[in-house]
Amino acid sequence: MGKDDKEDSGFGFKDKAKAEETLRLLEQHDMNYRRLTVRGLLGRAKRVLSMTKAEDKIKNIKEAMEVFENWLEKLSANKESKDNGNSKKTEKKQEKKEEKKKENSSDQESSSDVEMDEEEKQPQKALPADTVPGLGFKDKDTAHSTLKELEGRDPDYQKLAIKGLIGRAKRVLTCTRDETKLSNIKEAMSIFEQFLDDFDTQHMSRQNNPYLSLGLVRTAQKLAGDDVTEQQNSFIAAYTSVRGEYKRLRTVASGEGEKTWDIVRNVALKDLKEQYAEAKLFNEKDEPTKEHLQMLLWAYSPEAARVKKYLPETKEENDGSRKRRSSAMDDSPTKRSKE
């Protein structure tokens, strides 16, 4: 395709106006098609962001993504508001229902106007959910339980989840007449609003650890050799099991009764970032240092753009019972610099 926007369909994500126009054009289609298209555009937008350096273009795409994300949140909230969408049991049922819809709609998704990778077009085993279950807003106890459930996860996700709950709670308030329920929900909202105030005051977004692609992590694993811990190997195995879709690590436990991998990763990176705060990250050949590799094995780098520029990705595909890797490792930074 070669372009950010699919011009023949009129759908796109180059800026906020284009995103809003896309939603208007989608109104003539059925809801399932609209949802799949918006999700597909979000995926493409994220890939474009990873390859774009122009600040104005990045800003415009992020504004477009926000329009799409708000639309998806509202869509989810409208479904839950039919039965007040508060109880944990209801939320879990809704999540399972959505996962089943995703699996059953794979054929429709492949025939839509949304550009997808070849891997996504092929029928594959259903992946774990990408949203944390058990979140709610029916009363203050549920609100505190929700914050506890989000503790240790990616700060940006925490903020997004809480803002989404507040938005849904506001909509539920408009269709609730029971004074006790109204009071309970307002108490929960107050707790969430205080969380958001503290979030901004403490600049928690700075603690976010953006993920590197699975291909780069595989390369780091090979470069690290024997300097890979058992825990890091387990993390990479989990990252591989969700096919590099990092959001799904939120529901993949690191062991029976243990924390999920997104939390384990953040704890490990906090220690490494403090330990190697002054460490050199690249050598004279633009290759990651031993210290840098320790962070790369957790799919993170303080200099992600430079890593993407100089470090090749290692691709692996299943071929029956045999696995093969691409020749990406042969294209080493040293070799390319000589050429």
Side-chain angles (χ1 to χ4, degrees), residues 73-74 76-92 94 132-150 160-176 178-193:
E73 283 184 16
K74 185 176 180 180
S76 176
N78 287 340
K79 290 181 179 180
E80 292 191 19
S81 64
K82 292 180 180 179
D83 59 356
N84 286 343
N86 300 322
S87 69
K88 295 181 180 180
K89 183 177 179 180
T90 301
E91 291 185 359
K92 288 180 180 178
Q94 184 66 25
V132 177
L135 308 184
F137 52 84
K138 70 176 182 179
D139 54 32
K140 63 180 181 180
D141 289 338
T142 303
H144 286 305
S145 176
T146 292
L147 294 180
K148 185 67 176 177
E149 191 63 44
L150 291 172
L160 180 65
I162 294 303
K163 288 179 70 174
L165 287 169
I166 290 177
R168 286 153 54 189
K170 288 179 179 178
R171 286 187 284 274
V172 171
L173 286 177
T174 63
C175 56
T176 300
D178 187 285
E179 291 298 328
T180 301
K181 288 184 179 180
L182 289 171
S183 176
N184 289 340
I185 293 175
K186 288 179 180 179
E187 286 183 345
M189 289 175 62
S190 177
I191 292 171
F192 289 154
E193 287 165 350

Side-chain angles (χ1 to χ4, degrees), residues 18-158:
K18 187 65 177 179
E20 292 173 342
E21 179 187 1
T22 295
L23 293 180
R24 287 194 295 271
L25 291 171
L26 284 170
E27 289 178 357
Q28 60 185 304
H29 297 280
D30 64 75
M31 185 55 70
N32 191 47
Y33 177 88
R34 291 158 67 183
R35 184 177 65 254
L36 292 172
T37 300
V38 170
R39 286 177 177 168
L41 288 169
L42 276 172
R44 288 170 51 203
K46 290 176 182 178
R47 289 194 289 273
V48 171
L49 280 180
S50 69
M51 300 180 289
T52 302
K53 295 183 179 180
E55 292 296 329
D56 57 337
K57 189 173 182 180
I58 291 175
K59 178 177 179 296
N60 289 337
I61 292 177
K62 285 184 175 180
E63 289 178 349
M65 290 175 66
E66 185 176 4
V67 171
F68 290 145
E69 288 167 349
N70 289 339
W71 184 85
L72 288 173
E73 283 184 16
K74 185 176 180 180
L75 182 64
S76 176
N78 287 340
K79 290 181 179 180
E80 292 191 19
S81 64
K82 292 180 180 179
D83 59 356
N84 286 343
N86 300 322
S87 69
K88 295 181 180 180
K89 183 177 179 180
T90 301
E91 291 185 359
K92 288 180 180 178
K93 284 184 177 180
Q94 184 66 25
E95 181 181 312
K96 290 180 180 178
K97 185 177 179 181
E98 287 300 315
E99 285 302 309
K100 188 175 181 180
K101 285 183 179 179
K102 291 178 187 177
E103 185 177 358
N104 293 337
S105 63
S106 60
D107 291 337
Q108 296 180 13
E109 187 173 4
S110 64
S111 62
S112 73
D113 289 335
V114 182
E115 180 187 23
M116 297 186 301
D117 296 333
E118 194 64 28
E119 181 180 351
E120 293 173 338
K121 293 180 181 179
Q122 300 172 358
Q124 295 176 325
K125 182 179 178 180
L127 293 172
D130 60 5
T131 54
V132 177
L135 308 184
F137 52 84
K138 70 176 182 179
D139 54 32
K140 63 180 181 180
D141 289 338
T142 303
H144 286 305
S145 176
T146 292
L147 294 180
K148 185 67 176 177
E149 191 63 44
L150 291 172
E151 191 175 301
R153 301 184 188 277
D154 301 326
D156 284 356
Y157 175 68
Q158 292 186 47

Side-chain angles (χ1 to χ4, degrees), residues 300-311:
Y300 171 77
S301 170
E303 295 193 34
R306 191 173 175 186
V307 168
K308 294 173 185 177
K309 181 178 180 180
Y310 291 109
L311 200 66

